[in-house]
Amino acid sequence: MINKVVKTASEAVADVFDGAIVMISGFGEAGSPIELIHALIDQGAKDLTIVSNNTGNGHVGLAALIENRQVRKMICSFPRTAHSIVFPELYKNGEIELELVPQGTLAERIRAGGSGIPAFYTPTSVNTPLAEGKETREIDGKPYVLEYGLKADFSLVKCKTADRHGNLLFNKTARNFGPIMCMGAKATIVQAKEVVDLGMIDPEIVVTPGIFVSKVVEIADPLSENQLIKEERRYPWR
Amino acid sequence: MEVVIKKGWSREEMAQNIARDIPDGSYVNLGIGMPELVANYIPENREVVFHTENGLLGIGPSPAEGEEDDEMINAGKKPVTANKGAAFFHHADSFAMIRGGHIDICVLGAFQISEYGDLANWSTGEPKAIPAVGGAMDLVQGVKHVIIITKHTTKDGKPKIVRECSYPLTGKGVVDRIYTDLAIIDVTKNGLFVKEMAPGVDFETLQSKTEASLNQY
């Protein structure tokens, strides 16, 4: 029998190892799997390379993982946002690496990596500093930059609904990087607001088919990063 | 001697100028900040679908206070609603819309625009600054019409429309039209052409505020 459902977030992230490449879903707070990230902080894997659009807010979630010195390198498109405090400080002091990737290129590198496409040409970043040192090629008279697919050891993803096969539905703009990150990792770990019985999700509307998912944990009432930031909370809680 | 211009369009009027020129049925992506104002001024008899790169086509008005949803935001991470006929999608699809030429118009801010339509709007290149690019480089390469909304000069009066950008580029030769507080300017193969000037602005004054050469139709 296939049953990808595990009981706790700590069980879900137990296998993450030092030096792993980890994709973390979310656009800002929307879609960020905060319980899985906090479980990863408790678990303690370090020297991680994190692929995520932003670098976290305040002192919780992804920002807390970075603050806990578990991250060696960030691969992202927009590392400074209104509430991003931790990453900018470490970056200015040269204590964390940054690979800056245009957002669409980041998305396509993740999809390509998960789809068996090792590299692709894109017009994005042509003639800019972000194309420096990269192979370029003219196709039909237009210049393109060669970009490589991204593959991760683990993906941590938040969704709305899952079943025991790992079929997933998402919620509104919290979908963002979730479906492609599910495809992009050797092991995809998902936190779902609800786990429903097999057959309850109409096959016609499945967003991520279960084949792309390894583990599912139900987090019925996830924390609101916004709320935690307003309350100036820090993880680990103190 | 510096010419002082008191007249010119307000931010709202600049947004109105752009909204007036967006055809019925367009798919439009608005950048963060001043570009967002454009959505407020689409004439009622036109149906325009707004795209946000974090996965929504059909952005509706801002939600009422207390109705905000953390999982319902725009690219600027501000709360939004979805109109009837809206669609959600993941990031790779969102950028397939952008890069694949499916979006008709994008409206972006700028640090500098060159007379060849080069755009710099993501980094000042200062060594201590943290670089952040987001979706700007994808938008300028893929969207059919790239429109810029910007003050004509910087806060300290320096021209933003220049011969050559000194800041790192977002894209080369990508801008189609510039809407400033002083004028509306087309970027063409033959150079910059002034389409319209704000009330009280004349060509000589406009040229004095612009490093690049301007032409009149």
Side-chain angles (χ1 to χ4, degrees), chain A residues 206-220:
Chain A
V206 167
V207 174
T208 290
I211 192 167
F212 296 123
V213 173
S214 317
K215 286 181 186 174
V216 173
V217 60
E218 187 178 62
I219 307 285

Side-chain angles (χ1 to χ4, degrees), chain B residues 51-74:
Chain B
H51 170 271
T52 181
E53 54 264 36
N54 56 316
L56 168 61
L57 262 176
I59 306 173
S62 302
E65 217 181 303
E67 301 285 301
E68 300 93 345
D69 178 345
D70 287 347
E71 303 207 323
M72 190 62 190
I73 56 171
N74 66 12

Side-chain angles (χ1 to χ4, degrees), chain B residues 127-205:
Chain B
K128 285 240 160 170
I130 295 162
V133 64
M137 288 187 182
D138 303 282
L139 286 161
V140 298
Q141 290 297 340
V143 173
K144 288 180 205 154
H145 298 281
V146 176
I147 284 174
I148 300 301
I149 182 169
T150 178
K151 295 278 279 182
H152 203 85
T153 56
T154 64
K155 278 188 190 123
D156 42 8
K158 292 204 181 78
K160 294 182 92 169
I161 304 173
V162 294
R163 278 185 208 103
E164 206 157 319
C165 297
S166 56
Y167 292 146
L169 290 187
T170 308
K172 208 172 166 64
V174 293
V175 174
D176 295 296
R177 186 177 280 176
I178 309 161
Y179 290 77
T180 77
D181 51 332
L182 304 183
I184 301 171
I185 298 168
D186 285 330
V187 182
T188 77
K189 271 181 286 187
N190 301 319
L192 301 175
F193 279 78
V194 180
K195 186 174 172 287
E196 199 175 325
M197 282 178 284
V201 178
D202 60 63
F203 185 79
E204 286 66 36
T205 312

Side-chain angles (χ1 to χ4, degrees), chain B residues 25 46 76 88 91 98 107 124 145 156 161 177 205 209 212:
Chain B
R46 283 183 221 169
F88 297 116
H91 247 83
I98 291 171
V107 183
T124 57
H145 298 281
D156 42 8
I161 304 173
R177 186 177 280 176
T205 312
K209 301 268 176 192

Side-chain angles (χ1 to χ4, degrees), chain A residues 27-31 53-54 77-81 87-89 91-92 98 100-105 107-108 111 122-130 142 158 171-180 207 224-227, chain B residues 32 52-56 69-77 80 88-96 99 111 119 122-124 127-142 167-172:
Chain A
F27 184 87
E29 162 177 17
N53 190 58
N54 306 104
S77 90
F78 211 86
R80 56 171 159 78
T81 49
F87 177 87
E89 193 62 30
Y91 181 76
K92 277 180 194 155
L98 170 66
L100 189 72
V101 183
Q103 202 170 128
T105 299
E108 197 58 25
R111 176 164 71 173
T122 176
T124 303
S125 89
V126 163
N127 288 317
T128 78
L130 295 189
K142 263 193 76 178
K158 184 185 187 184
N171 187 46
K172 301 174 185 158
T173 58
R175 182 184 305 195
N176 57 69
F177 284 90
I180 51 174
V207 174
S224 157
E225 210 174 274
N226 260 339
Q227 193 56 37
Chain B
I32 298 167
T52 181
E53 54 264 36
N54 56 316
L56 168 61
D69 178 345
D70 287 347
E71 303 207 323
M72 190 62 190
I73 56 171
N74 66 12
K77 304 186 174 79
V80 293
F88 297 116
F89 36 83
H90 63 62
H91 247 83
D93 279 353
S94 186
F95 280 86
R99 215 188 300 98
F111 295 153
L119 173 66
W122 68 283
S123 166
T124 57
K128 285 240 160 170
I130 295 162
V133 64
M137 288 187 182
D138 303 282
L139 286 161
V140 298
Q141 290 297 340
Y167 292 146
L169 290 187
T170 308
K172 208 172 166 64

Side-chain angles (χ1 to χ4, degrees), chain A:
Chain A
M1 187 178 96
I2 296 172
N3 186 12
K4 297 178 181 176
V5 180
V6 298
K7 287 204 176 65
T8 64
S10 52
E11 195 182 334
V13 303
D15 298 336
V16 179
F17 50 84
D18 290 357
I21 301 174
V22 183
M23 292 176 176
I24 298 182
S25 68
F27 184 87
E29 162 177 17
S32 184
I34 188 166
E35 278 74 15
L36 291 178
I37 299 169
H38 287 172
L40 185 57
I41 292 172
D42 299 342
Q43 192 257 23
K46 54 184 192 297
D47 211 17
L48 303 171
T49 295
I50 301 291
V51 182
S52 196
N53 190 58
N54 306 104
T55 57
N57 298 309
H59 301 275
V60 294
L62 175 55
L65 184 73
I66 295 169
E67 194 162 38
N68 206 37
R69 302 303 177 99
Q70 290 174 255
V71 182
R72 181 176 66 80
K73 179 181 178 182
M74 284 298 311
I75 302 179
C76 69
S77 90
F78 211 86
R80 56 171 159 78
T81 49
H83 299 287
S84 178
I85 310 155
V86 172
F87 177 87
E89 193 62 30
L90 290 181
Y91 181 76
K92 277 180 194 155
N93 296 334
E95 294 174 52
I96 191 163
E97 289 173 50
L98 170 66
E99 182 178 339
L100 189 72
V101 183
Q103 202 170 128
T105 299
L106 183 65
E108 197 58 25
R109 287 180 65 190
I110 294 166
R111 176 164 71 173
S115 309
I117 307 288
F120 57 92
Y121 285 100
T122 176
T124 303
S125 89
V126 163
N127 288 317
T128 78
L130 295 189
E132 272 166 24
K134 291 177 183 173
E135 189 182 323
T136 58
R137 178 170 171 173
E138 205 165 282
I139 301 173
D140 290 337
K142 263 193 76 178
Y144 294 88
V145 178
L146 183 70
E147 293 282 359
Y148 291 92
L150 267 174
K151 282 198 267 191
D153 298 300
F154 300 91
S155 280
L156 308 184
V157 171
K158 184 185 187 184
C159 79
K160 183 182 173 201
T161 306
D163 63 22
R164 67 173 168 83
H165 279 193
N167 295 309
L168 308 181
L169 299 178
F170 293 82
N171 187 46
K172 301 174 185 158
T173 58
R175 182 184 305 195
N176 57 69
F177 284 90
I180 51 174
M181 286 185 170
C182 286
M183 301 164 69
K186 286 179 201 149
T188 290
I189 302 159
V190 175
Q191 70 170 75
K193 268 194 86 140
E194 54 173 1
V195 176
V196 298
D197 287 342
L198 217 56
M200 293 293 287
I201 303 176
D202 179 357
E204 202 69 75
I205 63 161
V206 167
V207 174
T208 290
I211 192 167
F212 296 123
V213 173
S214 317
K215 286 181 186 174
V216 173
V217 60
E218 187 178 62
I219 307 285
D221 199 10
L223 291 167
S224 157
E225 210 174 274
N226 260 339
Q227 193 56 37
L228 294 173
I229 288 162
K230 274 185 206 143
E231 294 167 5
E232 299 183 7
R233 300 290 300 276
R234 288 168 175 262
Y235 197 87
W237 309 127
R238 54 182 93 160

